[in-house]
């Protein structure tokens, strides 16, 4: 080999690529880097934690902006609804942290107590003198003063936990191959909850509960004919309930309406479209909504997405949609990459719950679906809806942390608060075999959790 004057071998310089060979594309480089970051074991953990916190904080801001006029019209301080929502968010944050730190066994142990408590409170709603009627629906219990609770919101969490525990135990015994074990007692218990909810006239919450039931059956591998059979029964009951109620028929008739119509039956739906249309690309500015000045009913609850579009514009609404899409993707990823059947059913049930409720709320505001009267999860005003939802988010965080690769990656983070590196290494060994060398480089060992 020829040498240079210094005695060292000459350095070979990379020549230009031959003609016809494309150079390194910066767009492709960016895509590969984003894909590598997207595929890390902590991606779902950070998406769930960060996405839910951003939705909650933005929801607090919009509740404060959208509820000021309503509070003043009721001779209340302008920050009245915001303070109540902020208090609920603080309590929900404690529930989220507690749920995220609980082991899976404790979550399963809580399934039956939560179900029994939800059923008991939903029965109390129908007791005269205890249950309250709000906007024509008998589904509230007074806690004293201005505080109320809606037990049907906790029925969603109860169905997710109890249904996931039930299906997981039956899968361990290999009973889900028989249709009777797949349906009984899951479907009768869900219909019992639906019946208690419909006694109060809250069809919106009943639709969400039905979506959770179908999500659990789909995750359990229900055959198509069985799935279609249950869906047909639910659609028949829903059609009968809508047909026999003039109020529900009027809501169905307001889909795609552009005028309030006779007797202003479509007033809320039309003014929701007006709010979105007047927002433009970047909105009229935070606090500058016109529709919240008495034109749009329920501006801080069911139609807060319309006020968001008016004040923050298309950019604000797309940001909210992107956050919910990221949250839904992370939930699906957690459910799809676990070997624990309870985690798969519970994560899938929570994801179905939040995604279906967001789609129904936003679809109603856009005029694509009938107004169902359900809040936007983590975003709309309402402590009864916020508390169980934040506990459910804590479940997803706990499940995302349970993945062996995620536990190893969390243990390999930089030590804080005086922790020694030796302790970090010991915790990493206790978490299982090392899956990642660093946060930027994959280990060659295969992951039992399905990470790839």
């Amino acid at each position: 080999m020829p040498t240079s004057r210094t005695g060292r071998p000459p350095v070979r310089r990379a020549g230009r690529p031959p003609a016809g060979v494309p150079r390194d594309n910066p767009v492709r480089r960016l895509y590969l880097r984003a894909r590598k970051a997207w595929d890390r074991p902590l991606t779902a953990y950070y998406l769930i934690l960060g996405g839910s916190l951003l939705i909650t904080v933005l929801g607090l801001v919009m509740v404060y902006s959208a509820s000021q006029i309503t509070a003043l019209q009721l001779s209340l301080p302008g920050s009245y609804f915001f303070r109540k929502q902020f208090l609920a968010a603080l309590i929900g944050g404690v529930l989220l942290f507690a749920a995220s730190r609980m082991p899976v066994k404790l979550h399963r142990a809580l399934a039956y107590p939560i179900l029994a408590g939800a059923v008991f409170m939903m029965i109390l709603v129908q007791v005269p003198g205890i249950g309250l009627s709000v906007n024509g629906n008998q589904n509230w219990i007074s806690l004293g003063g201005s505080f109320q609770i809606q037990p049907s919101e906790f029925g969603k969490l109860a169905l997710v936990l109890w249904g996931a525990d039930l299906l997981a135990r039956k899968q361990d015994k290999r009973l889900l191959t028989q249709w009777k074990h797949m349906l009984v007692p899951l479907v009768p218990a869900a219909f019992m909850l639906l019946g208690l909810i419909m006694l109060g006239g809250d069809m919106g919450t009943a639709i969400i509960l039905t979506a959770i039931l179908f999500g659990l059956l789909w995750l359990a591998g229900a055959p198509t004919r069985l799935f279609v059979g249950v869906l047909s029964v639910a659609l028949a009951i829903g059609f009968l309930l809508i047909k026999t109620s003039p109020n529900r028929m009027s809501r169905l008739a307001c889909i795609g309406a552009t005028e309030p119509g006779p007797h202003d039956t479509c007033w809320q739906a039309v003014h929701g479209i007006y709010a979105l249309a007047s927002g433009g690309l970047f909105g009229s500015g935070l606090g500058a909504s016109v529709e919240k000045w008495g034109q749009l009913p329920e501006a801080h609850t069911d139609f807060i997405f319309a006020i968001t579009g008016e004040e923050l514009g298309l950019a604000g609404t797309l940001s909210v949609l992107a956050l919910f899409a990221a949250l839904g993707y992370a939930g699906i990823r957690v459910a799809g990459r676990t070997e624990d059947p309870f985690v798969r059913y519970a994560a899938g049930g929570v994801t179905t719950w939040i995604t279906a409720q967001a789609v129904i709320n936003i679809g109603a505001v856009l005029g694509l679906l009938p107004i169902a009267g359900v809040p936007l999860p983590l975003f709309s005003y309402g402590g009864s809806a916020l508390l169980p939802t934040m506990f459910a988010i804590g479940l997803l965080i706990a499940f995302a942390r349970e993945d062996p690769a995620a536990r190893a990656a969390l243990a390999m983070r930089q030590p804080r608060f005086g922790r020694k590196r030796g302790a970090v290494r010991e915790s990493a060994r206790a978490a299982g075999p090392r899956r990642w060398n660093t946060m930027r480089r994959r280990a060659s060992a295969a992951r039992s959790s399905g990470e790839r």
Side-chain angles (χ1 to χ4, degrees):
M1 178 182 296
T3 59
S4 62
R5 295 179 180 178
T6 60
R8 297 178 181 175
V11 178
R12 294 183 180 180
R13 297 182 179 180
R16 294 183 180 181
V21 177
R23 296 186 178 183
D24 193 8
N25 190 350
V27 178
R28 178 174 176 79
R29 257 197 337 263
L30 182 63
Y31 165 75
L32 293 176
R33 187 176 300 175
R35 183 176 179 181
K36 184 178 180 181
W38 195 258
D39 199 40
R40 290 174 180 172
L42 289 177
T43 298
Y45 171 76
Y46 287 127
L47 281 179
I48 296 170
L49 180 61
S52 59
L53 290 181
L54 286 174
I55 294 173
T56 305
V57 171
L58 183 57
L60 286 172
V61 173
M62 292 311 305
V63 165
Y64 180 65
S65 176
S67 65
Q68 286 182 331
I69 306 304
T70 303
L72 295 175
Q73 288 174 343
L74 297 174
S75 301
L76 297 170
S79 61
Y80 174 78
F81 294 104
F82 168 77
R83 285 182 292 173
K84 291 185 65 177
Q85 186 73 356
F86 184 72
L87 177 61
L90 290 179
I91 300 174
V94 174
L95 293 177
L96 184 149
F97 178 79
S100 66
R101 294 294 177 175
M102 289 181 185
V104 174
K105 291 183 179 180
L106 183 55
H107 288 144
R108 300 186 69 166
L110 289 175
Y112 282 88
I114 292 177
L115 177 65
V119 172
F120 177 72
M121 289 192 299
M122 291 165 70
I123 293 175
L124 286 181
V125 168
Q126 306 304 323
V127 177
I130 298 179
L132 297 177
S133 178
V134 178
N135 295 331
N137 292 337
Q138 183 83 13
N139 53 4
W140 295 83
I141 295 177
S142 176
L143 299 180
S146 61
F147 291 95
Q148 302 170 351
I149 189 172
Q150 188 176 0
S152 57
E153 292 291 339
F154 294 87
K156 304 172 186 176
L157 178 63
L159 180 60
V160 168
L161 284 177
W162 177 78
D165 178 68
L166 175 69
L167 291 175
R169 286 189 288 109
K170 291 198 173 189
Q171 179 172 330
D172 292 338
K173 297 178 181 179
R174 299 183 179 180
L175 297 176
L176 291 182
T177 55
Q178 306 176 34
W179 67 268
K180 59 180 180 180
H181 284 287
M182 185 174 292
L183 293 182
V184 181
L186 177 62
V187 175
F191 277 25
M192 177 191 65
L193 293 174
L194 290 171
L196 291 173
I197 292 173
M198 288 308 301
L199 283 177
D202 188 3
M203 190 168 183
T205 304
I207 293 175
I208 305 300
L209 227 69
T210 305
I212 295 174
L213 174 62
F214 288 153
L216 291 174
L217 289 176
W218 183 78
L219 289 169
T224 304
R225 55 184 179 181
L226 184 62
F227 198 88
V228 171
V230 177
L231 181 61
S232 302
V233 173
L235 289 177
I237 296 175
F239 176 78
L240 182 63
L241 293 174
I242 293 174
K243 194 68 176 178
T244 55
S245 173
N247 181 37
R248 296 185 185 120
M249 286 297 296
S250 63
R251 292 187 180 189
L252 196 64
C254 290
I255 297 178
T258 56
E259 296 293 336
H263 308 292
D264 293 333
T265 53
C266 298
W267 179 274
Q268 186 180 27
V270 170
H271 278 271
I273 298 296
Y274 290 168
L276 290 171
S278 60
L281 187 59
F282 296 106
S284 57
L286 192 62
S289 169
V290 175
E291 290 293 334
K292 68 182 180 183
W293 287 77
Q295 299 297 322
L296 180 61
E298 308 295 338
H300 61 296
T301 55
D302 300 344
F303 271 70
I304 194 171
F305 188 76
I307 302 300
T308 304
E310 185 180 5
E311 295 187 352
L312 303 183
L314 181 63
T317 55
L318 289 180
S319 299
V320 174
L321 291 176
L323 289 173
F324 275 109
L327 194 59
Y329 166 80
I332 294 173
R333 175 167 169 161
V334 171
R337 298 194 176 191
T338 182
E339 295 179 354
D340 189 332
F342 173 78
V343 172
R344 180 168 63 252
Y345 295 134
V350 170
T351 305
T352 303
W353 162 13
I354 295 176
T355 305
Q357 188 164 326
V359 168
I360 291 174
N361 177 275
I362 295 174
V365 174
L366 295 176
L368 303 176
L369 296 174
I371 299 173
V374 296
L376 190 58
L378 303 172
F379 202 84
S380 296
Y381 170 79
S384 294
L386 185 62
L387 295 182
T389 306
M390 293 193 76
F391 187 89
I393 294 295
L395 287 178
L396 290 180
I397 294 175
F399 297 156
R401 292 169 59 94
E402 282 296 317
D403 180 80
R407 280 186 294 167
L410 285 171
M412 290 299 295
R413 293 189 304 180
Q414 291 294 330
R416 296 181 180 179
F417 304 109
R419 290 180 61 191
K420 298 181 180 180
R421 293 184 181 273
V424 176
R425 293 192 186 98
E426 290 298 328
S427 60
R429 294 191 190 99
R434 188 175 179 180
R435 304 299 182 186
W436 288 69
N437 291 333
T438 66
M439 290 299 292
R440 295 185 180 182
R441 184 176 58 188
R442 286 182 181 273
S444 59
R447 298 180 179 84
S448 60
S449 60
E451 285 284 336
R452 55 177 183 164

